Amino acid sequence: MLRRLSIAVAGGLLLASAVAGCGDSSDSGSGDGGGGGDKITLGFSQVGAESGWRTANTKSIQESAQSSGIDLKFSDAQGKQENQIKAIRNFITQRVDVIAFSPVVESGWGTVLKEAKDAGIPVILTDRAIDDPDTSLYKTFIGSDFVEEGKKAGDWLVKEYEGKSDPVNIVELQGSPGAAPANDRKSGFADVIKNETKFKVVASQTGQFTRTDGKAVMETFLKSQPKIDVLYAHNDDMGLGAIEAIEAAGKKPGTDIKIITVDAVKDGMTALSEGKINFIVECSPLLGPQLMDLVKKAKAGETIPQRVLTEEGTFTPEQAKEALPSRKY
Amino acid sequence: MTNLVRHRLFWPTVVLVVLLVSNLIFSDNFFRITLQDGHLYGSLIDILRRSAPLVLVALGMTLVISTGGIDLSVGSVMAISGALACLLIGDLSNPDAVGPVLLVIGAAIALCLVFGLWNGFLVAVLGIQPIIATLILMVAGRGVAQLITDGQILNVHSAPYRVIGAGYFLGVPVSFLIAAVAVGLTVALTRRTALGLLLESVGGSPTASRLAGIRARRITIMVYVFAAAFAGVAGLIYSSDVSSADSNAAGNLIELNAILAVVLGGTALTGGRFSIAGSVLGAVIITTLDITAVSVGVPVETTLLFKAVVVIILCLAQSATFRAKVFGRFGSGSRSGSPRAEVAA
């Protein structure tokens, strides 16, 4: 029995590693052999390649490194913290000029970042924060402000219903419970609309950031809520699922029910340009150019702010039509 | 009266009815069914439509569990079948032609059959414990699905493909019809032929069955193939519903819901006797629970707790020992550990 069991486990590991191995191919996309002279070397450890958003994020960093003449050593952590710590230690041994990484989890970075600090290598966090109280461990954190995204969504709504006094019934599709984007997008939005009593969130449920759950929850909202004026979805995918539910109920998305979403991925932008979504708040993965700027400043020893926000906009249907042809993700 | 209460499906039915009625308190048109653009429309129709994937997966799981096995890979198989179908449809020159789409569907299900054979081979031929054998495909299969979709969400625009999950036939949801046909076929196969008896006998004691001349190995392989095929169809319904393949979310944790449905329906995880009607009822209860949580407005943070409480109540109600301890002294002489009524599904 034990032998059979070990065969099974070995087989499973083999299969799993074969599958994992396929994801490795992007590792070698770095610069041209060690970079001579005074070229800046950047060691970057990515979370993985779990979504289209993340893939676009990786591409942006690789492309902008190349165009700004920075030698990029890229490492994919495949969603594991230990891989990321190993990568950072490697970067320290290789004496790169700057280390940047997108932390897989929030905690447990103290030791390895201390090593980087002792070696005199500046560290930049991208897209996700860490919860270490010692902020001297990293130079800066560049990424989106999810609360701000929620506020932008709320601002549009306030403007859209300016001067009207009829009550506005809002339903909300939240992201995965407990995730920072879900919590912050909810609270930012609630902060803005609480000033006016006509806005009322009549139902708010999780759609798990997925299209299927977005559709399923919206189907139930449509039957349990007598009147829905506005849908606020924490990402495009849930909004796209909800559109299908609204159409199946014989209503027109964007007209009978106004829709606001966050992210601005290509599918969402397409629906926006067709008028099925009314407004999208961007959450951009394209932080490469900004990151390279910070890398150069960090290398030169200039002072940089502790928190840098990604340059992000918002889109109306007209703007979506313009932006769509050049949309990368 | 006592016979009715002792019926294996009595308590699950009570819970389902209570759930439905409690919905009525919060939204008074819960039971209303109307015609919308030529198809039936209403909360009850939603329950039927959205139960379909879970019913299919639970059906396969029931057969596997009746032989004393378990299949953890159904969720990954769902993801693979949806991913492959969407990938192939994306390559079609005319995705609105019915013929090629049917071919694609056939290919996706054929791939699932291969995975079922693989599971069956590991369990029946190599003798690996089912939970470990299917764990391999559960982990690796998700990777295969992500490989097929390149980690992205694949969108398709194909009218015939959409029909499977979001379409209607004579006003009735197609996904419900598919699940109903699958249930009908399985009931016919297991209750009108000797197959059901053979399954229960293999689940009861594989060795004794083999000595009695039953080809236990062949039966075991067959149930895993069935489970994978049903999971494949469920995956097609899931992805067709939103015309896209999401290899991360498709079928995620559905294996646990399916096992729960089977257990709620009164089939023991140790194998042997099984109830198809019970599993179907269990799957419908779980879907109704999901819909109720949303329509009653249970806060997001407590949704899982709400579901857990209902499931615990149901499990306690089904336990003869618990009922005897709590209600024994008031009851009409029902003994603890009372023999359960034999039921043909």
Side-chain angles (χ1 to χ4, degrees):
Chain A
M1 190 58 233
L2 201 68
R3 236 187 77 215
R4 283 176 178 169
L5 215 133
S6 59
I7 290 174
V9 172
L13 287 177
L14 209 75
L15 242 168
S17 66
V19 170
C22 301
D24 261 347
S25 52
S26 60
D27 265 28
S28 52
S30 56
D32 27 41
D38 51 358
K39 213 170 169 189
I40 300 174
T41 317
L42 166 70
F44 185 82
S45 168
Q46 179 62 285
V47 174
E50 78 278 9
S51 63
W53 194 96
R54 187 65 62 190
T55 315
N57 183 237
T58 301
K59 231 180 237 163
S60 162
I61 287 165
Q62 285 171 336
E63 283 172 4
S64 52
Q66 204 168 24
S67 64
S68 54
I70 288 175
D71 185 14
L72 176 70
K73 293 192 185 304
F74 185 86
S75 155
D76 187 328
Q78 295 175 353
K80 292 201 182 77
Q81 184 176 28
E82 60 262 33
N83 289 348
Q84 214 156 25
I85 291 178
K86 226 184 284 168
I88 295 172
R89 292 227 163 94
N90 275 337
F91 292 149
I92 297 173
T93 340
Q94 294 169 5
R95 309 252 3 127
V96 298
D97 295 309
V98 181
I99 294 174
F101 75 110
S102 193
V104 175
V105 292
E106 284 195 327
S107 52
W109 298 104
T111 320
V112 69
L113 291 189
K114 187 90 194 341
E115 288 168 28
K117 194 182 170 192
D118 291 344
I121 302 173
V123 172
I124 299 175
L125 307 178
T126 66
D127 164 48
R128 298 181 181 189
I130 62 171
D131 66 359
D132 202 291
D134 183 3
T135 50
S136 74
L137 289 176
Y138 55 92
K139 271 267 177 262
T140 180
F141 163 41
I142 171 171
S144 308
D145 183 342
F146 301 132
V147 178
E148 193 55 41
E149 289 167 0
K151 281 187 180 156
K152 283 180 189 167
D155 286 338
W156 179 84
L157 191 65
V158 170
K159 221 167 173 191
E160 179 77 7
Y161 284 92
E162 209 168 24
K164 291 174 192 160
S165 58
D166 295 342
V168 179
N169 287 348
I170 305 163
V171 295
E172 183 180 30
L173 287 171
Q174 301 179 29
S176 316
N183 293 343
D184 294 353
R185 283 171 191 169
K186 182 175 196 275
S187 66
F189 183 75
D191 266 0
V192 173
I193 60 164
K194 72 168 180 225
N195 300 327
E196 295 189 47
T197 47
K198 68 182 173 196
F199 293 119
K200 194 162 170 257
V201 178
V202 288
S204 177
Q205 268 292 336
T206 175
Q208 304 287 358
F209 282 134
T210 68
R211 221 171 266 207
T212 311
D213 285 342
K215 178 174 180 179
V217 173
M218 192 65 199
E219 272 174 357
T220 310
F221 280 168
L222 284 163
K223 273 138 210 159
S224 61
Q225 297 300 330
K227 179 171 166 284
I228 299 174
D229 301 302
V230 175
L231 162 70
Y232 169 46
H234 288 184
N235 77 346
D236 287 346
D237 277 321
M238 291 189 294
L240 291 169
I243 286 175
E244 299 220 1
I246 295 171
E247 281 172 344
K251 292 191 169 139
K252 243 185 121 193
T255 315
D256 296 334
I257 295 178
K258 297 217 160 66
I259 301 176
I260 314 168
T261 66
V262 184
D263 260 5
V265 297
K266 205 167 193 170
D267 296 336
M269 293 288 271
T270 313
L272 179 63
S273 68
E274 290 163 356
K276 290 179 177 176
I277 296 179
N278 302 72
F279 190 68
I280 297 186
V281 180
E282 186 180 30
C283 177
S284 172
L286 307 179
L287 47 77
Q290 271 179 295
L291 175 64
M292 297 311 148
D293 237 34
L294 291 171
V295 167
K296 283 181 187 160
K297 279 186 185 159
K299 165 73 177 154
E302 291 174 37
T303 48
I304 40 183
Q306 272 273 326
R307 178 81 170 89
V308 178
L309 290 179
T310 331
E311 283 158 15
E312 295 173 330
T314 55
F315 292 97
T316 59
E318 293 74 37
Q319 289 166 324
K321 270 179 214 151
E322 255 170 59
L324 203 51
S326 59
R327 206 70 186 156
K328 284 188 186 153
Y329 56 97
Chain B
M1 185 62 207
T2 331
N3 273 343
L4 187 66
V5 176
R6 279 197 198 154
H7 191 289
R8 159 152 58 165
L9 299 182
F10 174 75
W11 290 105
T13 313
V14 168
V15 167
L16 183 60
V17 170
V18 168
L19 278 177
L20 291 174
V21 170
S22 60
N23 265 301
L24 202 56
I25 300 168
F26 289 92
S27 85
D28 41 355
N29 53 10
F30 189 78
F31 286 105
R32 193 199 297 158
I33 294 175
T34 53
L35 264 182
Q36 176 77 49
D37 301 333
H39 62 77
L40 298 172
Y41 178 85
S43 298
L44 293 179
I45 302 298
D46 277 358
I47 293 176
L48 290 184
R49 203 170 65 77
R50 296 228 305 266
S51 298
L54 187 56
V55 165
L56 282 166
V57 173
L59 206 55
M61 192 67 79
T62 311
L63 299 181
V64 172
I65 287 178
S66 74
T67 66
I70 203 151
D71 189 348
L72 297 182
S73 69
V74 282
S76 296
V77 171
M78 269 181 76
I80 293 173
S81 98
L84 184 71
C86 287
L87 182 79
L88 292 178
I89 287 175
D91 289 342
L92 290 179
S93 53
N94 176 17
D96 285 329
V98 178
V101 171
L102 282 178
L103 268 181
V104 166
I105 290 169
I109 294 176
L111 182 65
C112 294
L113 293 178
V114 173
F115 284 121
L117 272 176
W118 162 258
N119 277 339
F121 171 76
L122 289 184
V123 174
V125 179
L126 299 187
I128 299 170
Q129 284 181 349
I131 198 166
I132 293 172
T134 55
L135 186 67
I136 297 172
L137 190 55
M138 174 187 172
V139 176
R142 185 71 54 189
V144 170
Q146 280 162 0
L147 207 61
I148 294 175
T149 60
D150 211 5
Q152 317 272 348
I153 294 175
L154 280 184
N155 293 308
V156 292
H157 300 282
S158 162
Y161 186 60
R162 229 185 106 81
V163 168
I164 306 172
Y168 294 85
F169 178 72
L170 298 176
V172 184
V174 171
S175 53
F176 165 72
L177 292 175
I178 293 175
V181 168
V183 171
L185 277 179
T186 316
V187 169
L189 261 176
T190 53
R191 300 301 181 199
R192 294 278 168 260
T193 70
L195 188 65
L197 186 69
L198 299 184
L199 282 175
E200 294 185 345
S201 125
V202 170
S205 168
T207 320
S209 315
R210 196 163 42 80
L211 293 177
I214 297 171
R215 292 185 168 148
R217 186 176 282 184
R218 200 185 279 180
I219 301 252
T220 310
I221 295 179
M222 195 193 68
V223 293
Y224 285 96
V225 172
F226 263 112
F230 285 145
V233 178
L236 293 176
I237 293 176
Y238 184 96
S239 98
S240 147
D241 184 26
V242 285
S243 293
S244 67
D246 181 345
S247 50
N248 286 312
N252 192 21
L253 295 184
I254 199 168
E255 59 278 351
L256 297 183
N257 270 341
I259 294 169
L260 182 62
V262 172
V263 173
L264 289 182
T267 301
L269 284 180
T270 44
R273 223 163 38 183
F274 64 96
S275 162
I276 289 170
S279 299
V280 172
L281 193 56
V284 175
I285 289 178
I286 292 172
T287 312
T288 311
L289 204 49
D290 282 335
I291 292 182
T292 308
V294 176
S295 90
V296 170
V298 179
V300 173
E301 300 77 21
T302 46
T303 305
L304 288 175
L305 186 68
F306 166 75
K307 287 185 201 165
V309 168
V310 176
V311 170
I312 289 171
I313 291 173
L314 177 51
C315 287
L316 289 179
Q318 273 178 303
S319 152
T321 321
F322 177 81
R323 284 207 309 275
K325 283 220 164 95
V326 177
F327 305 111
R329 63 196 76 165
F330 316 111
S332 52
S334 64
R335 298 177 307 273
S336 65
S338 57
R340 278 196 274 175
E342 189 71 48
V343 190

